[in-house]
Amino acid sequence: MNVTVIGLGLIGGSLAMALRGCPDIRITGVVRSEHTAQLAEERGVCDTVTRDPMAALADSDLVWLCMPPVAVLDFIKDHREDFRPGTLVTDVCGVKTAIMETAKVLPETVDFIGCHPMAGKETSKLENADAGLFQNAHFILTPGPDSTQEHIDLLEDLARYMGFRDTVLTTPEEHDAMIAYTSQVMHIMAAAVCDDPDLFLCSGFEGGSFRDCTRVAAMDVPLWTELFSLNAPALTKTISRLEDNLRSYRQVLEAGDTRKLAEKLTWSSDRKRRINLEHQRGDDAKLPPD
Amino acid sequence: MNVTVIGLGLIGGSLAMALRGCPDIRITGVVRSEHTAQLAEERGVCDTVTRDPMAALADSDLVWLCMPPVAVLDFIKDHREDFRPGTLVTDVCGVKTAIMETAKVLPETVDFIGCHPMAGKETSKLENADAGLFQNAHFILTPGPDSTQEHIDLLEDLARYMGFRDTVLTTPEEHDAMIAYTSQVMHIMAAAVCDDPDLFLCSGFEGGSFRDCTRVAAMDVPLWTELFSLNAPALTKTISRLEDNLRSYRQVLEAGDTRKLAEKLTWSSDRKRRINLEHQRGDDAKLPPD
């Protein structure tokens, strides 16, 4: 089976590296820059590296679009007629509604299944790619209305080979609503904390919670600007709920209502302990960064 | 030198364990429950364990108050006349203004230096104590107006022995303002995220940033209720600034102003990268949880 990975950045590079050695698979990497092509060759990231997407598409059974969202949207539109009949096309974007909408332009002979590997780092580019990036992460799929079970099974098998924790099947809308909460608002919150004037005064006073909560503020700005913008309706609702919850703690503190504060914290910490148990699912597995 | 640790919970227990083997030091642990006394004996946490604080105080050179803030305030008031002349008294509380104010009731012959070891876990009690808890954490001191350099040096030496990264000298007011930002608001934020109705719908969509940002929501509620309440003026100001910063991101997203969003994220992520470099101070040290 010929797998073509378009874009060998952090995610595409890690994906190609994690797929290496998978039986009966030949991996072609498509890159734009000579620098990335050389680096991919040196590190043996793929079986073949090319700068010609057309040649690669003509020979692909599975095409994995590993670019930022807007580049993926453009690629689908520009190359809608260039995929071989029977090709399975997928992506890695952290938003799914916009991608699935645009994928409707593809001919019926092409099966597009949206994909979001829930892993990442605060660094980008092939230099930071890592075959172990997906260990224990969720692999989320949003199949199209005509996607075949065979193709879903294939992606699930590849995910298992790459070390993902599980495969989650969902709709683009549910994905985008959930991701606004579990990932996007975490990034906005981290940025909002770093916007505080005290940031450069706090050396010597920071502990683990500060490091953990602000880690993702050092984000890839062009990528996250696209992700936030393409999911603005769900994200703004989630931010608004967080503002309400924060205000509620502030007001209880301003009122000096210690009993109410303890009640609120008890409710909240009980919820956190319950969700820890659910997410643990009987093991002590650690989730990777995203 | 006789060191008495009052309260062998997570912090007091870890502190006694981290001090074990330190030359010329004899450690007495004071506990309230028979259960903790037995556990401390079994694990060899201290040289001696007693349930009688008066006997221990009569024989102490250094008394370390390792209880929650309100219990520390009560202990200082109740035992103001029971410390030997020349005793150095310190604590471990995450708020300092309230503690330092109350410590003024102590006789002039007693030197009270406020202390905040910036380390912790989401679990409490001696069962979870760990001699390695303080590795690479900040050790913050707020000396009184008449504290001696000798006593400050002594605490700094002990901190080094226990594995702390550095000792930070500050005022109670600066401590409380900084800690509202670096620690307390991180806990309020984590709680506010867990108050969201989507919490129990998001299984399968959570990644590293969600785990990292919500970790501290599973907090020791009685302890944090006291810490937040005793620092309410600084904390409410910090929450209010965070609400403003979040609202600002929401409004830019609602306006669909992608250029402005990218500008804001660039500013914020640059700040985060700069502070990473400052906090790194030339090593790749990882901060412990707090």
Side-chain angles (χ1 to χ4, degrees), chain B residues 158-186:
Chain B
L158 295 179
R160 202 173 297 117
Y161 184 82
M162 289 189 278
F164 282 92
R165 172 200 194 101
D166 53 19
T167 296
V168 178
L169 293 176
T170 186
T171 62
E173 294 75 19
E174 193 196 4
H175 171 276
D176 288 359
M178 285 299 119
I179 244 58
Y181 173 56
T182 60
S183 173
Q184 296 195 330
V185 90
M186 302 297 128

Side-chain angles (χ1 to χ4, degrees), chain A residues 118 181-182 193-196 205 208-209 211 214 219 241 243 249-250 268 271-273 287-288 290, chain B residues 118 181-182 191 193-196 205 208-209 211 214 219 241 243 249-250 268 271-273 287-288 290:
Chain A
M118 280 216 60
Y181 173 56
T182 59
V193 168
C194 290
D195 289 344
D196 194 286
F205 297 91
S209 61
R211 178 203 59 198
T214 60
M219 68 187 92
R241 293 200 305 269
E243 288 171 59
Y249 281 103
R250 176 169 56 79
S268 181
R271 287 166 68 83
K272 173 59 179 164
R273 288 191 192 94
L287 289 168
D290 70 325
Chain B
M118 281 216 60
Y181 173 56
T182 60
V193 168
C194 290
D195 288 344
D196 194 287
F205 297 92
S209 62
R211 179 204 57 197
T214 61
M219 69 188 92
R241 294 201 305 269
E243 287 173 59
Y249 281 104
R250 176 168 58 79
S268 182
R271 287 167 67 84
K272 173 60 179 164
R273 287 190 194 94
L287 288 168
D290 70 325

